[in-house]
Amino acid sequence: MNDNVENLIIERLRRIEDKLDLEMERGMETRERLGHLEEGMAQIHLSIASLSRRVDRVDNRLDRIEKRLDLQDTE
């Protein structure tokens, strides 16, 4: 009887270990996917910053053109 109980406990522990391994693998996959999302967000932020710099340069050029053509409003 004691061996039977011991075998049941060992079998149950193996099942728990298998489930734990599966959950650890899922956690690793989730962290990897999160890392990819963070990299994507970083790329988006870089793109926005680049576009902002370009718009600033266009704005500066437009200001210079308006000054040369004397088209600026007086405020």
Side-chain angles (χ1 to χ4, degrees):
M1 177 87 178
N2 192 21
D3 285 340
N4 193 22
V5 170
E6 216 172 277
N7 288 339
L8 288 173
I9 292 172
I10 289 172
E11 181 61 31
R12 181 53 110 176
L13 288 173
R14 284 185 182 139
R15 287 184 191 166
I16 291 171
E17 187 177 47
D18 289 344
K19 288 180 182 180
L20 181 60
D21 287 343
L22 180 62
E23 289 304 316
M24 288 180 66
E25 186 176 316
R26 287 180 180 167
M28 288 173 40
E29 289 173 5
T30 301
R31 284 191 298 274
E32 185 176 334
R33 292 177 68 188
L34 179 60
H36 289 299
L37 288 172
E38 289 173 336
E39 287 175 8
M41 289 298 294
Q43 288 296 326
I44 289 170
H45 286 290
L46 288 173
S47 295
I48 290 171
S50 176
L51 289 172
S52 179
R53 284 192 308 267
R54 290 180 71 187
V55 168
D56 288 343
R57 285 195 308 264
V58 168
D59 191 45
N60 289 340
R61 291 175 70 190
L62 184 58
D63 284 343
R64 286 196 322 261
I65 290 168
E66 287 177 340
K67 282 181 186 177
R68 284 183 186 172
L69 298 176
D70 200 24
L71 297 174
Q72 288 185 329
D73 292 332
T74 55
E75 295 180 23

